[in-house]
């Protein structure tokens, strides 16, 4: 994620859970962001004054002052900063209070890293802080994902996906031709504190294949012992010997 001038987007992550800030910080840095973290409200306001973030991921329940108070302080210093609440407070009245107080979006814990990153991309894009208008569409071969409309098509036909299937496909499409391990997928697609095992990844990949690849040239491939990759299989040119062209070798084209 880059600003219009090409410099990295700056994100401040405010939470008193070190594991959470580590995971989010690593994910954001992998997106090209500059990241600072703070474990309480006072440190967050101090960091914001020195770091000048474009976006803040903010917990509501902090050890010293609450997130709404931090939000007011952030808005006084920088009215245009994008603020995404990330909190365990999931009651409707809490969501309303957070947005009414000036928060731009609200995600409840436990959360999917891919969803948080997508929400941040959307906030920054709408605020004009990133330089890629229209980048809400991911395209690979004949597979198209509209991240904002949460719609997927393959060869022009709509593909209906569950929320988890959508996040899994989004992660694959944001990393085309890159082999992703089951551990990486678990961390990015399922909640950061999810205690599940790798078999859940295998299960959801199988669901996704039935919807995305069924009856079509497969795009989702297994790399045995490693993980999964989104790629197109290219047909290898057959070497021509003397005389008539040889037919396919036995077993050619099989997985």
């Amino acid at each position: 994620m880059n600003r219009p001038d090409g410099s990295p987007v700056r994100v401040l992550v405010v939470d008193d859970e070190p594991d959470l800030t580590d995971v989010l910080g690593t994910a954001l840095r992998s997106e090209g962001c500059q990241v600072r973290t703070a474990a309480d409200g006072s440190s967050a306001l101090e960091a914001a004054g020195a770091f000048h973030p474009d976006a803040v991921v903010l917990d509501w329940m902090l050890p010293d002052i609450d997130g709404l108070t931090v939000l007011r302080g952030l808005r006084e210093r920088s009215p245009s900063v994008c603020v995404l609440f990330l909190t365990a407070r999931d009651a409707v009245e809490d969501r309303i209070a957070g947005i009414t107080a000036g928060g731009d979006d609200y995600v409840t814990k436990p959360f999917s890293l891919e969803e948080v990153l997508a929400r941040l991309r959307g906030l920054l894009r709408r605020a004009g802080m990133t330089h890629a208008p229209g980048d809400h569409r991911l395209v690979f071969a004949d597979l198209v994902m509209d991240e904002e409309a949460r719609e997927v098509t393959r060869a022009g036909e709509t593909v209906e996906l569950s929320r988890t299937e959508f996040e899994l496909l989004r992660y694959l499409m944001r990393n085309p031709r890159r082999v992703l391990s089951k551990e990486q997928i678990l961390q990015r697609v399922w909640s950061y504190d999810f205690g599940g095992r790798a078999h859940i990844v295998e299960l959801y990949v199988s669901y996704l294949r039935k919807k995305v690849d069924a009856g079509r040239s497969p795009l989702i491939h297994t790399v045995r012992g490693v993980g999964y990759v989104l790629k197109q299989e290219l047909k290898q040119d057959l070497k021509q010997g003397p005389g008539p062209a040889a037919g396919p070798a036995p077993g050619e084209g099989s997985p």
Side-chain angles (χ1 to χ4, degrees):
M1 286 186 269
N2 293 323
R3 295 166 165 175
D5 63 4
S7 62
V9 165
R10 297 183 178 187
V11 183
L12 174 63
V13 180
V14 186
D15 201 288
D16 60 345
E17 297 182 51
D19 289 345
L20 186 151
T21 54
D22 285 349
V23 167
L24 266 176
T26 299
L28 287 164
R29 291 184 185 98
S30 74
E31 294 280 316
C33 300
Q34 289 186 4
V35 182
R36 292 276 182 89
T37 62
D40 56 53
S42 300
S43 300
L45 292 173
E46 183 178 347
F51 184 52
H52 304 293
D54 302 299
V56 180
V57 180
L58 178 62
D59 189 14
W60 186 310
M61 296 177 287
L62 296 168
D64 50 356
I65 55 180
D66 64 67
L68 293 182
T69 303
V70 175
L71 173 60
R72 285 191 285 271
L74 291 170
R75 288 283 184 235
E76 288 175 3
R77 296 165 186 244
S78 179
S80 63
V81 66
C82 297
V83 178
L84 171 66
F85 272 111
L86 186 62
T87 175
R89 298 180 67 127
D90 58 358
V92 173
E93 53 268 29
D94 291 328
R95 291 172 180 263
I96 293 172
I99 300 300
T100 302
D104 296 292
D105 206 346
Y106 197 106
V107 176
T108 57
K109 299 177 183 177
F111 60 87
S112 155
L113 277 174
E114 274 304 292
E115 181 179 5
V116 171
L117 294 174
R119 297 286 188 97
L120 277 175
R121 291 186 202 107
L123 289 179
L124 291 163
R125 183 171 58 247
R126 289 191 290 274
M129 294 183 184
T130 53
H131 74 290
D135 67 353
H136 58 280
R137 291 177 76 248
L138 300 176
V139 180
F140 185 80
D142 59 353
L143 183 63
V144 179
M145 171 181 284
D146 187 319
E147 293 184 282
E148 289 194 342
R150 295 188 71 83
E151 294 176 348
V152 175
T153 60
R154 177 91 195 261
E157 297 182 7
T158 300
V159 180
E160 298 290 345
L161 300 177
S162 70
R163 177 174 176 174
T164 301
E165 291 165 350
F166 185 91
E167 298 302 339
L168 173 57
L169 183 60
R170 181 181 359 224
Y171 187 37
L172 291 170
M173 292 187 72
R174 283 199 164 270
N175 295 274
R177 295 172 291 277
R178 175 186 169 195
V179 179
L180 303 170
S181 70
K182 294 176 184 178
E183 290 74 19
Q184 288 175 307
I185 294 172
L186 271 174
Q187 185 182 69
R188 291 291 289 263
V189 176
W190 277 260
S191 60
Y192 79 100
D193 58 353
F194 177 70
R197 298 180 179 177
H199 70 81
I200 195 72
V201 177
E202 298 170 6
L203 182 63
Y204 271 86
V205 167
S206 71
Y207 292 160
L208 202 54
R209 279 177 167 149
K210 290 176 182 176
K211 295 183 177 183
V212 172
D213 284 346
R216 306 179 178 98
S217 175
L219 296 178
I220 302 170
H221 301 271
T222 300
V223 180
R224 294 191 181 279
V226 183
Y228 302 95
V229 60
L230 186 74
K231 68 176 184 178
Q232 285 182 288
E233 284 191 328
L234 301 178
K235 295 181 179 179
Q236 296 182 347
D237 292 333
L238 298 176
K239 292 183 178 180
Q240 301 295 321
E252 185 170 339
S254 60

